[in-house]
Amino acid sequence: MNILITVLALVVVIGVWLYFDYKLGLRALRKKSQATSTGPLASKIELITNGEDFIDKLIEDIRKANKHIHIQFYIFRDDYIGKRMVDTLVAKAEAGIDTRLLIDQFGCKLRRGTKKQLRAAGVDVAIAAKVRGPWFFFSLNRRNHRKLAVIDGHTSYLGGYNVGDEYLGRNPFFGFWRDFHVRITGEGSRAIQAQFLADFEAATGKHIERKSFFPDLQAGSQPLQFLGTQGTEFEQTLLKLIRSAKNSLIIGSPYFIPTRAVMDAIIDVAQRGVFVSLILPEKADHPLVKHGATPYVIEALQAGVLVYHYYRGFYHVKAVVADQSTCLVGTPNIDKRSFHLNDEMSCLTHDQTFIETVLAVLHADMHASMTVTIEQLQKRPLLDRVKEVTAAPLSPLL
């Protein structure tokens, strides 16, 4: 009995410590974090929705680099695609091109030997989001979730793809991997370059002389705005976009665990007559995330939202389109991690050509999805309901 009491007391103490560590860490982040935003930047933007196309285009641009290469991913695996990327970066660094690689501490799956190979070739490898005190549990859950690339300062990438075989549909469980990434030329590359350099300096503690990384850029015809966030600011941008919808709102996300404010905003616009569609994956790539989303999906359905489960592979798209006139794409998910914990970057545009391209893919994805109904969810197994109860208190971390 004494042992049981001791164990229970220890569990309570640890639970209280983790709770206050998280809360105090979040409060400290909110005090110091600052969003970086831009006005409209004249650019050219291309939507990429296939992993093979993404890797081929990125590697081709890297091979063309003459001055500098900046690559940043949340996940970088030591698999076939990862090796292909590593070999490309090694070859460019050995040819004298200034090459930097920034990877999140927990997303990095590169072996020590691979990192050694990169550094020996001259690649400056840095690790982002290292665990730091005094709020260790909160710091453990912080992620640099940005996926950026900048080539010679004039060509850049932003979106949801990481470096790994599954992103190219090579994992048999997930199958085809639907995602959104954008390739940008023109003035928009300046914003992505600035974000990369800020992240690299934060990870290494070294100042980087920036002038040489910002060449004169030819203006494009598509105005883009960029928002770099650290845990707390993305939610406010999303709320404004949701509340602005008058006729239609489409949201695509691999995870749907919103804050109460975001959920209420979605319900409000749906109940005032806005045609709201939500596209989510049928499969889950992390434990409990689908079960954590179920209560919110039920709320959305009850408010009249159309909910789709994409079944032709895994759905990793991160996009919001309001009234067919405003579009947001980038790295954030519609979940509490992106709202409170992750470093993210978003691109916002009113460009009709790009929005029409995005909408064409989103509508095709709806046709490749199952419509979710209240009746289906009411028949879900008891085990799923138990998992939902388990997931509820963990929702800020899922």
Side-chain angles (χ1 to χ4, degrees):
M1 180 62 71
N2 289 337
I3 294 175
L4 179 60
I5 292 173
T6 302
V7 170
L8 290 175
L10 185 60
V11 169
V12 170
V13 169
I14 292 173
V16 170
W17 169 64
L18 293 179
Y19 175 81
F20 282 103
D21 184 292
Y22 180 86
K23 289 294 184 182
L24 292 171
L26 181 59
R27 186 171 71 176
L29 175 65
R30 287 175 172 167
K31 285 182 178 179
K32 72 175 184 179
S33 68
Q34 291 183 335
T36 57
S37 59
T38 73
L41 299 174
S43 312
K44 179 181 179 183
I45 184 169
E46 173 189 359
L47 180 67
I48 305 170
T49 63
N50 180 290
E52 294 279 0
D53 291 343
F54 165 66
I55 288 293
D56 287 347
K57 289 176 184 291
L58 177 56
I59 286 180
E60 181 181 0
D61 283 333
I62 291 172
R63 286 173 175 162
K64 292 178 181 177
N66 294 314
K67 296 180 180 177
H68 35 81
I69 299 164
H70 292 158
I71 304 294
Q72 176 176 351
F73 284 102
Y74 170 57
I75 292 173
F76 199 127
R77 298 198 187 280
D78 221 334
D79 52 19
Y80 173 78
I81 297 305
K83 186 176 185 304
R84 186 178 166 199
M85 181 66 74
V86 166
D87 289 346
T88 304
L89 294 176
V90 164
K92 295 303 291 187
E94 289 178 340
I97 305 302
D98 193 2
T99 306
R100 292 177 175 83
L101 174 64
L102 179 61
I103 310 171
D104 180 84
Q105 181 178 18
F106 288 92
C108 177
K109 309 300 180 183
L110 294 178
R111 291 182 292 249
R112 184 179 300 177
T114 303
K115 294 178 192 174
K116 186 176 180 181
Q117 176 192 7
L118 285 160
R119 289 181 171 125
V123 179
D124 195 349
V125 180
I127 306 299
K130 292 181 181 178
V131 177
R132 294 186 174 93
W135 317 117
F136 287 101
F137 178 66
F138 178 78
S139 179
L140 184 69
N141 282 281
R142 286 271 289 138
R143 300 286 185 272
N144 191 318
H145 196 240
R146 298 180 182 124
K147 301 100 175 169
L148 315 175
V150 191
I151 315 301
D152 286 343
H154 58 63
T155 301
S156 58
Y157 290 79
L158 167 70
Y161 282 111
N162 285 290
V163 177
D165 286 352
E166 70 268 34
Y167 296 92
L168 277 72
R170 293 168 178 257
N171 184 312
F173 174 77
F174 294 116
F176 175 71
W177 189 284
R178 167 68 84 213
D179 216 329
F180 278 6
H181 221 93
V182 291
R183 180 181 184 271
I184 295 164
T185 55
E187 294 176 357
S189 291
R190 192 172 294 128
I192 297 179
Q193 182 78 295
Q195 185 64 72
F196 174 87
L197 293 173
D199 285 354
F200 204 88
E201 286 181 345
T204 61
K206 300 182 221 177
H207 173 71
I208 299 174
E209 178 54 51
R210 300 187 172 206
K211 185 176 180 181
S212 63
F213 297 122
F214 293 92
D216 293 333
L217 299 173
Q218 183 176 355
S221 61
Q222 296 169 294
L224 309 176
Q225 294 175 268
F226 295 89
L227 177 69
T229 54
Q230 291 180 297
T232 56
E233 301 89 345
F234 172 67
E235 181 184 13
Q236 298 307 312
T237 299
L238 181 64
L239 284 169
K240 290 178 184 177
L241 183 55
I242 292 170
R243 291 166 180 163
S244 73
K246 301 291 189 296
N247 301 303
S248 65
L249 178 70
I250 301 177
I251 299 173
S253 178
Y255 317 113
F256 187 67
I257 305 179
T259 58
R260 190 67 253 166
V262 171
M263 191 72 239
D264 286 346
I266 292 172
I267 291 171
D268 179 63
V269 296
Q271 290 181 338
R272 61 179 165 83
V274 175
F275 193 79
V276 182
S277 302
L278 177 62
I279 313 173
L280 305 173
E282 194 276 328
K283 297 178 179 179
D285 67 335
H286 292 293
L288 296 180
V289 291
K290 190 172 182 180
H291 303 98
T294 299
Y296 300 102
V297 170
I298 291 173
E299 277 194 78
L301 290 169
Q302 290 172 337
V305 175
L306 287 177
V307 180
Y308 299 90
H309 274 174
Y310 183 86
Y311 61 83
R312 291 185 181 174
F314 185 69
Y315 202 72
H316 201 246
V317 167
K318 308 149 194 303
V320 181
V321 183
D323 291 336
Q324 303 181 18
S325 62
T326 307
C327 177
L328 183 146
V329 295
T331 69
N333 302 307
I334 309 300
D335 67 3
K336 293 174 185 176
R337 272 198 164 276
S338 288
F339 298 147
H340 297 315
L341 290 169
N342 293 348
D343 292 347
E344 308 280 8
M345 192 169 194
S346 307
C347 173
L348 189 70
T349 185
H350 303 286
D351 180 76
Q352 284 302 301
T353 301
F354 179 72
I355 292 174
E356 288 172 8
T357 301
V358 169
L359 285 172
V361 179
L362 293 177
H363 287 137
D365 290 343
M366 290 182 206
H367 287 297
S369 301
M370 298 180 294
T371 304
V372 182
T373 67
I374 288 284
E375 291 73 23
Q376 290 170 342
L377 293 178
Q378 287 173 341
K379 296 177 183 178
R380 66 195 186 278
L382 176 61
L383 180 59
D384 285 354
R385 296 173 187 265
V386 172
K387 290 180 178 179
E388 290 162 26
V389 174
T390 304
L394 301 175
S395 64
L397 305 177
L398 293 177

